[in-house]
Amino acid sequence: MKRIVILGTGGTIAGQARQAGDNVGYTAAQIAVGDLLAAIPALAGFALEAEQVAQVDSKDMSFAIWRALAQRSAHHLARDEVAGVVITHGTDTLEETAYFLHRVLAPAKPVVLTAAMRPANALAPDGPQNLLDAVRVAALPGARGVLACVAGAVHAGCDVRKVHPYRIDAFDSGDAGALGYIEEGHLRQLRDWPAGEALGLACTQREDWPRVDIVVSAAGVDGALVDALVALGARGIVAACTGNGTLSAALESALLRAQAAGVAVLRATRVGRGGIVETTAQALPSAGALTPVQARVELMLTLR
Ligand code: SIN
């Protein structure tokens, strides 16, 4: 039987509340990944290996952990006896880590991120089912690419985003739609596995990750923040735009100044679903269907 490697990074799935009924006032990243696995009897039939890569609340996800995660995933995926990798992660930045790994690895085997909205000692925790489902997906013959498996749905890592701060069903794939659903332990697959060209591990080796910030266009916003970021040495700025990629006039002027000064600028829409549909050639490039945080990862990985 091929092996599945579980890389632990923390999150609510490894969280603990003082009182089992408290699904908001808990502390994330308390339980070791090996202990999470040991508490799921249905995993007994799988050949599993556990490795604790980090133990953080994912709001504190760092470039160093991303680098380690990419390296450890690549290391295990290269082993013949490994069918796939599962990553336990916090829900808050899962979207960013999934997109990061998709762009860096675009793996030919599955890398399945999973998470939970309730701590591990909740009265009815969602983590054990999500972890079981993720392992099942990672073990599927032919599965490939970076995926996210939460609340019975499987999403492509390039599409997944968090859309709810509390509900167990907190993720979706925007306009792309879920890749499939887990039903009675089986994947009902609606779309092909994600594909892409890997940027490669080399782009994660740098100590000096370029500074890329996000500014939000909103009523009354001026360009002061952009000017300050340029003065601070930002290498890239993502504009989280209104509607179909639009910006307040003052913010647009400041971003054009920044671009002229050599800062890479991308327009992404702050609207939760759908990508920017271009009408005419724009002076500031569009991030298309990328969310603002995905666009930030894209710039951090590709800026030299
Ligand atoms: C986190 O992102 O680590 C905490 C919140 C969560 O996992 O739901």
Side-chain angles (χ1 to χ4, degrees):
M1 183 193 298
K2 292 250 185 184
R3 308 182 78 76
I4 307 293
V5 178
I6 321 293
L7 303 179
T9 71
T12 295
I13 193 168
Q16 255 181 328
R18 272 179 206 264
Q19 291 166 359
D22 186 354
N23 288 331
V24 287
Y26 58 85
T27 308
Q30 298 299 299
I31 302 173
V33 65
D35 293 338
L36 295 179
L37 296 170
I40 307 174
L43 286 174
F46 293 92
L48 303 178
E49 284 176 34
E51 184 177 320
Q52 195 79 49
V53 173
Q55 188 66 298
V56 293
D57 184 317
S58 81
K59 69 183 175 51
D60 297 317
M61 184 52 59
S62 67
F63 302 152
I65 299 173
W66 272 356
R67 185 189 302 122
L69 212 41
Q71 281 171 348
R72 296 312 293 160
S73 298
H75 166 80
H76 291 296
L77 293 173
R79 295 168 54 200
D80 283 344
E81 70 275 23
V82 170
V85 167
V86 168
I87 298 172
T88 57
H89 200 287
T91 61
D92 285 346
T93 58
L94 184 145
E95 165 181 349
E96 292 158 65
T97 300
Y99 187 73
F100 166 80
L101 292 172
H102 165 74
R103 290 292 280 130
V104 171
L105 300 175
K109 291 179 184 177
V111 173
V112 189
L113 288 94
T114 192
M117 292 298 286
R118 294 177 179 167
N121 67 335
L123 290 174
D126 51 333
Q129 183 68 54
N130 290 345
L131 191 43
L132 175 61
D133 287 346
V135 169
R136 284 176 169 148
V137 171
L140 281 177
R144 64 179 150 81
V146 175
L147 306 160
C149 187
V150 187
V154 180
H155 303 278
C158 50
D159 298 320
V160 70
R161 75 254 343 246
K162 189 172 181 181
V163 294
H164 202 280
Y166 180 75
R167 283 206 311 256
I168 284 175
D169 192 3
F171 288 87
D172 81 17
S173 289
D175 272 1
L179 184 141
Y181 296 97
I182 309 284
E183 295 166 349
E184 296 298 294
H186 300 286
L187 174 66
R188 178 164 60 91
Q189 191 169 352
L190 306 173
R191 299 197 287 120
D192 200 2
W193 304 106
E197 205 169 310
L199 292 170
L201 282 178
C203 69
T204 71
Q205 299 304 312
R206 58 200 300 172
E207 292 304 324
D208 60 330
W209 290 62
R211 182 183 179 111
V212 179
D213 292 279
I214 300 174
V215 296
V216 181
S217 189
V221 162
D222 64 17
L225 207 48
V226 170
D227 293 336
L229 288 172
V230 174
L232 209 55
R235 300 276 320 283
I237 298 176
V238 172
C241 299
T242 39
N244 191 32
T246 54
L247 293 156
S248 74
L251 187 53
E252 184 166 28
S253 301
L255 288 166
L256 286 167
R257 279 198 302 279
Q259 186 173 253
V263 177
V265 176
L266 268 184
R267 286 179 304 118
T269 178
R270 67 176 211 190
V271 179
R273 299 178 72 89
I276 295 172
V277 180
E278 291 296 1
T279 44
T280 52
Q282 297 280 338
L284 294 170
S286 156
L290 297 184
T291 65
V293 291
Q294 286 178 326
R296 176 172 177 262
V297 172
E298 183 69 29
L299 280 184
M300 286 193 305
L301 288 174
T302 52
L303 277 174
R304 288 285 147 247

